[in-house]
Amino acid sequence: MIRFYKEDYLPIGTHKCIDWVAQTFLTTNPNLYDALYVVGGSSKREKKFNQEMMNFSIEVYKHYKPIGVATNAEKYLPVSGENNLLGVVFAKNNPNFKDEFIAVIAERRFWERV
């Protein structure tokens, strides 16, 4: 599942997010999103979930978009010496994760990944 956070209808100054699920991997295309925040999770069909999440993450990566990776989600974005991880921010051991992720989202695309 893909989680979206909607705050548009909350009063100004409210920092509470309402969590709602709008799409699944089967009903949306990763090209429709400007960035991806990858989090871990579990499913009744764990193997299928893991494969679909990895495919979704790789597709976002191939389109040069920003990606934030939670500490429990590193398995969904394979890292190797051949990957150019420009625009990919990992939360693990990164106290500045939030600021760095916001900065890569603002940059939009990372054409240097080619």
Side-chain angles (χ1 to χ4, degrees), residues 34-110:
D34 296 322
L36 177 65
Y37 179 54
V38 185
V39 298
S42 62
S43 170
K44 291 178 184 175
R45 296 173 29 186
E46 193 75 21
K47 186 175 180 181
K48 174 95 172 134
F49 175 83
N50 289 341
Q51 187 60 52
E52 292 296 330
M53 186 62 213
M54 187 177 291
N55 291 344
F56 198 91
S57 300
I58 291 169
E59 193 65 28
V60 171
Y61 176 86
K62 286 180 182 178
H63 285 87
Y64 314 104
K65 296 180 181 185
I67 301 173
V69 183
T71 56
N72 60 344
E74 292 180 356
K75 65 183 177 183
Y76 299 122
L77 193 67
V79 176
S80 73
E82 297 176 17
N83 297 67
N84 180 343
L85 295 177
L86 190 63
V88 179
V89 182
F90 292 89
K92 189 173 189 175
N93 299 321
N94 184 355
N96 300 318
F97 173 75
K98 180 180 75 168
D99 295 331
E100 290 178 16
F101 188 44
I102 290 170
V104 297
I105 291 172
E107 196 161 331
R108 296 183 157 188
R109 299 283 178 122
F110 294 87

